[in-house]
Amino acid sequence: PPSMSGEGVRDAEDDSLEGDGVVVDEPSPPLQLFVTPTGDPMRFYMARGPHYERASRLIVKHGGVVAKRFSPGVAFLRRPTDSVGPREPPCYSLSFVDESICAKKLQDLSQFRLASPTTTQSPCDDRGRKRSRWKEEEEEEVLAWVSAHACSRGEFSVKGRKLWVLAEEARVASPHSWQSMKDRYCKRILPALGILGSK
């Protein structure tokens, strides 16, 4: 994991997370998510741009450090749509920050690595994460989870977020993300329920 060293930028300004049209109410004080197992702040670097100020505030607010320059041990964050050159260091999607805060749990940074022309990786979703192919048994896991835990309305609705975040934490259909499970259920499993039920 990234280590604590070098210069960093800290900012105490409050900021609310807005992603996918959802504002997340966070506890006070904020969860210190971006820390190493030894308790040191994780270090990130980002190029200046429209996303820089907001992302910096969120990282610092949740325990991390934004370095002034890139160096070994620092995670280089970029937008999911950015291209990565063959000579550039490993880069990771900025979605790592948002998704860790949304889930209130530090996500696996390696799953947010952006592909470069010289690397042979699995296709990535629109958040820059490696996409795994779905298997029939994984779809059945998702269907069983929904049958046991979903409600027709409220926070555990299949159209909400909490049901799927909890499914990911319970490692349902691992390694698929909660977004992938929700998308698969709504777009593929529901229309095929008759087929799945007959097998």
Side-chain angles (χ1 to χ4, degrees):
S3 60
M4 171 65 180
S5 62
E7 298 180 27
V9 177
R10 289 191 175 273
D11 187 342
E13 181 178 350
D14 287 340
D15 197 5
S16 63
L17 174 66
E18 296 183 8
D20 299 330
V22 178
V23 178
V24 177
D25 294 325
E26 298 181 77
S28 181
L31 293 173
Q32 299 300 286
L33 297 170
F34 304 120
V35 295
T36 68
T38 59
D40 294 323
M42 295 176 66
R43 298 182 64 233
F44 302 91
Y45 171 78
M46 296 175 289
R48 291 277 178 175
H51 60 278
Y52 181 87
E53 294 299 331
R54 173 184 174 277
S56 296
R57 283 196 296 269
L58 290 173
I59 289 170
V60 171
K61 181 179 179 179
H62 292 273
V65 166
V66 180
K68 293 181 179 179
R69 60 183 63 87
F70 179 77
S71 60
V74 175
F76 194 160
L77 298 180
R78 301 181 69 164
R79 294 175 300 178
T81 54
D82 286 350
S83 59
V84 180
R87 296 181 180 274
E88 291 188 275
C91 297
Y92 303 89
S93 171
L94 275 165
S95 300
F96 166 76
V97 175
D98 281 356
E99 293 195 20
S100 292
I101 295 172
C102 283
K104 298 181 182 180
K105 178 182 178 181
L106 187 67
Q107 302 298 289
D108 182 356
L109 182 62
S110 66
Q111 294 298 309
F112 293 81
R113 182 167 178 176
L114 299 174
S116 67
T118 57
T119 59
T120 55
Q121 295 182 321
S122 300
C124 294
D125 61 19
D126 58 4
R127 294 177 180 270
R129 304 205 306 183
K130 289 187 288 187
R131 182 186 296 139
S132 299
R133 292 184 180 275
W134 276 88
K135 301 175 183 177
E136 184 176 346
E137 55 266 30
E138 292 169 342
E139 292 184 334
E140 291 173 350
E141 282 185 51
V142 171
L143 184 57
W145 174 267
V146 171
S147 299
H149 299 281
C151 299
S152 59
R153 58 184 62 180
E155 62 181 355
F156 286 99
S157 164
V158 295
K159 296 181 179 180
R161 177 191 295 265
K162 190 168 185 177
L163 175 73
W164 302 108
V165 170
L166 291 175
E168 182 177 24
E169 291 177 354
R171 301 190 66 78
V172 175
S174 180
H176 297 288
S177 69
W178 69 263
Q179 294 96 333
S180 178
M181 285 188 279
K182 179 180 178 181
D183 184 75
R184 190 74 176 185
Y185 179 80
C186 294
K187 295 182 180 180
R188 297 292 297 273
I189 297 177
L190 271 181
L193 273 177
I195 299 174
L196 288 175
S198 66
K199 289 188 176 182

